[in-house]
Amino acid sequence: MKLNELQTPNFILNLDVLEKNLKHVQDLCNKNDKNLWPMTKTHKSTRLAKMQVEYGAKGLLVGTVDEAEAFINEGVENITFPYTISNVNNIKRIIELSKKARIIISFDNIESAKIWDKELNNQNIKLEYFILINSGLNRLGVKPEECVKLSKELSNLTNLKLIGISTHPGHVYGVKSPEEVKLVSNQEVQVMEIAKKYLTEAGFEVKYVATGSTPTFFDVVSENLFDILRPGNYPFYDNIQLSLGICKEEDCALTALGTIISKPNDKLFIVDVGSKCLGLDKGAHGSSLITGFGKVKGHDELNIIGLSEEVGKIEILGDTNLNIGDKVEIIPNHSCSCANMTSYIIGYRGEDIEEIIEIDVRGNSNKPMI
């Protein structure tokens, strides 16, 4: 089947570009002696997770228990949870998974850790953990000056073992220019250096320092401080990464394929791709660099100015060779959330459809027994 024979809307994935992106990031990690543990909430696909491991990833960072379970069932041996988990039912599921694979959990408070310690004690199991450090996002994590106090509290819990510190510099997505990415990268390094210093001087062993975001990855991959890097978006990239100067248009592997269905006037197209494909995301942390609801690939004269649920409004800013019935590819603003909109993605090379990639661990993929 050929690409131009697909119905629209549809999500399509350029496999050549995907593989190039996977190889580039893995090669940088290998060159700089870093372990790559990519964040899998980007794609929520066992197929793509296995590809990352095949390319050399040492483990996976997961957003949900469902992701962890699905990947472990596919043979992945190393999993990290980057958020504090406090729901007892979730904890029990993770403990069961720890009998099949290495599980690393994360804490930024003692209360959650006590819940874990009790459940682990019931089964005489010990788990490794990271202390979450706030490097500027102000979401999860403790400040460097608070990490020794928390470490001392956590050290009293006999079923938990500290192995390192981790952070997510997600505030990089809120910068006002590509030049400011480097400032966040510098902050990321400085904060984690301070946290490691405080803990080491207090007598704690910090075996691993982990961090992760796609925009800062390329700045910090050569930093000796870090042992584990955990970017997520890099397999696909998207319009946000474009706006930050992290990638070029040809690096964006995932697009939404649509058809122009109407031209109400000389300055407006209507396309059959709406918010149920592209979402309404202009940056999870308030990016001011995004002007529209996606980028029409290869057509700088177009700007997506509005989305209904099933259709989009595209402003015509200059001369265009497109007409009603023509197909267009739209680079999502945020590919991570868009991948979660579909049950599958069409993988292609050139004009040929090669495979259907299941997005098989999105949402509540593991249904409860009632």
Side-chain angles (χ1 to χ4, degrees), residues 67-245:
E67 288 175 34
E69 185 172 69
F71 301 148
I72 289 170
N73 287 341
E74 291 292 327
V76 175
E77 298 178 347
N78 298 297
I79 296 288
T80 294
F81 287 88
Y83 316 119
T84 299
I85 295 171
S86 303
N87 182 290
V88 173
N89 291 327
N90 290 1
I91 290 171
K92 287 180 176 178
R93 279 184 67 193
I94 295 169
I95 291 174
E96 287 302 308
L97 292 174
S98 74
K99 299 173 183 178
K100 304 176 183 178
R102 182 189 185 191
I103 301 284
I104 304 170
I105 52 180
S106 304
F107 294 114
D108 66 358
N109 66 83
I110 186 63
E111 291 79 10
S112 177
K114 286 179 178 178
I115 300 172
W116 272 94
D117 193 58
K118 178 182 176 182
E119 295 299 325
L120 289 166
N121 187 61
N122 290 339
Q123 298 200 45
N124 193 28
I125 291 175
K126 297 182 185 296
L127 281 187
E128 301 166 308
Y129 70 90
F130 286 108
I131 288 180
L132 296 170
I133 305 298
N134 177 8
S135 58
L137 179 56
N138 299 324
R139 185 178 65 182
L140 292 169
V142 296
K143 296 178 180 179
E145 58 269 24
E146 300 168 338
C147 64
V148 172
K149 177 179 180 293
L150 178 59
S151 297
K152 289 179 178 178
E153 293 174 334
L154 291 169
S155 67
N156 294 320
L157 304 177
T158 57
N159 297 287
L160 295 167
K161 179 184 178 183
L162 173 67
I163 61 167
I165 55 177
S166 66
T167 194
H168 170 55
H171 54 302
V172 68
Y173 290 107
V175 300
K176 297 179 180 178
S177 69
E179 291 72 28
E180 292 182 21
V181 172
K182 182 66 174 177
L183 298 178
V184 176
S185 301
N186 292 341
Q187 180 188 27
E188 178 182 359
V189 174
Q190 292 165 4
V191 169
M192 296 304 277
E193 281 181 337
I194 294 169
K196 182 178 180 180
K197 178 175 179 289
Y198 284 162
L199 286 169
T200 302
E201 290 179 348
F204 293 98
E205 181 185 6
V206 181
K207 187 176 181 180
Y208 303 110
V209 179
T211 188
S213 86
T214 293
T216 64
F217 168 87
F218 301 97
D219 290 331
V220 306
V221 67
S222 60
E223 290 286 341
N224 292 331
L225 171 69
F226 298 117
D227 307 289
I228 299 172
L229 294 177
R230 316 191 299 193
N233 185 262
Y234 74 95
F236 295 158
Y237 293 115
D238 54 28
N239 197 30
I240 292 175
Q241 304 294 341
L242 276 173
S243 73
L244 293 171

Side-chain angles (χ1 to χ4, degrees), residues 268-271 273-275 278 280 282 292-293 303-308 311-315:
L268 188 66
F269 283 135
I270 305 298
V271 66
V273 179
S275 63
L278 298 174
L280 296 170
K282 287 191 175 183
F293 293 94
N303 183 34
I304 303 173
I305 59 173
L307 297 176
S308 302
V311 301
K313 296 168 66 175
I314 301 179
E315 184 180 16

